[in-house]
């Protein structure tokens, strides 16, 4: 599975890292501590440094992405997995990375965002 999808793996991995580029562009506007966790009411209740917010979150998601794909590829029964579950496996983390990180940046910059709705949608996916 990994050999047939090496370009898809590269593309999805790069998409996961796009928020780092956005974070570098927004760096001067970002506060020294950024929200990285939101409570059930949609307000920020967990904070980390700017470096972790810009670099750490996308890199953690990239690690989870690679772990899931490599683990699935190593399974001897992976040839029996359908195309739709494989597509979901490849595109889940890029979507989460883009939506989550862009929502955090928008929240920081003062845009009124319903973080509870976004979190529920991401958990639902």
């Amino acid at each position: 599975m990994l050999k047939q999808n090496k370009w898809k793996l590269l593309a999805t991995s790069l998409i996961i890292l796009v928020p780092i580029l956005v974070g570098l562009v927004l760096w001067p506007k970002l506060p020294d501590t950024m929200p990285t966790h939101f409570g059930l009411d949609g307000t920020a209740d967990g904070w980390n440094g700017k470096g972790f917010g810009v670099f750490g979150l996308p890199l953690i998601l990239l690690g989870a992405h690679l772990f899931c794909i490599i683990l699935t590829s190593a399974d001897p029964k992976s040839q029996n997995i359908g195309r739709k579950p494989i597509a979901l496996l490849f595109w889940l983390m890029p979507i989460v990375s883009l939506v989550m990180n862009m929502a955090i940046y928008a929240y920081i910059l003062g845009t009124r965002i319903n973080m509870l709705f976004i979190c529920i949608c991401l958990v639902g996916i």
Side-chain angles (χ1 to χ4, degrees), residues 34-36 38 57 99-108 115:
M34 294 176 52
T36 53
F38 293 84
L57 294 176
V99 171
M100 181 185 72
N101 286 293
M102 296 310 152
I104 289 173
Y105 292 150
Y107 182 88
I108 289 169
M115 292 302 286

Side-chain angles (χ1 to χ4, degrees), residues 68-117:
C68 290
I69 289 175
I70 290 170
L71 194 67
T72 303
S73 296
D75 182 8
K77 296 181 182 180
S78 67
Q79 296 85 351
N80 298 332
I81 300 174
R83 291 178 53 203
K84 288 182 181 178
I86 293 296
L88 179 65
L89 178 68
F90 273 94
W91 289 104
L92 180 64
M93 288 299 175
I95 291 168
V96 168
S97 179
L98 289 175
V99 171
M100 181 185 72
N101 286 293
M102 296 310 152
I104 289 173
Y105 292 150
Y107 182 88
I108 289 169
L109 297 175
T111 303
R112 298 275 303 149
I113 291 197
N114 187 343
M115 292 302 286
L116 178 60
F117 177 74

Side-chain angles (χ1 to χ4, degrees), residues 1 9 26 54 56 59-60 67-68 80 86 91 95 108 116 121 124:
M1 177 183 83
L9 178 61
L26 295 175
V54 171
L59 290 174
I60 289 170
F67 177 77
C68 290
N80 298 332
I86 293 296
W91 289 104
I95 291 168
I108 289 169
L116 178 60
C121 289

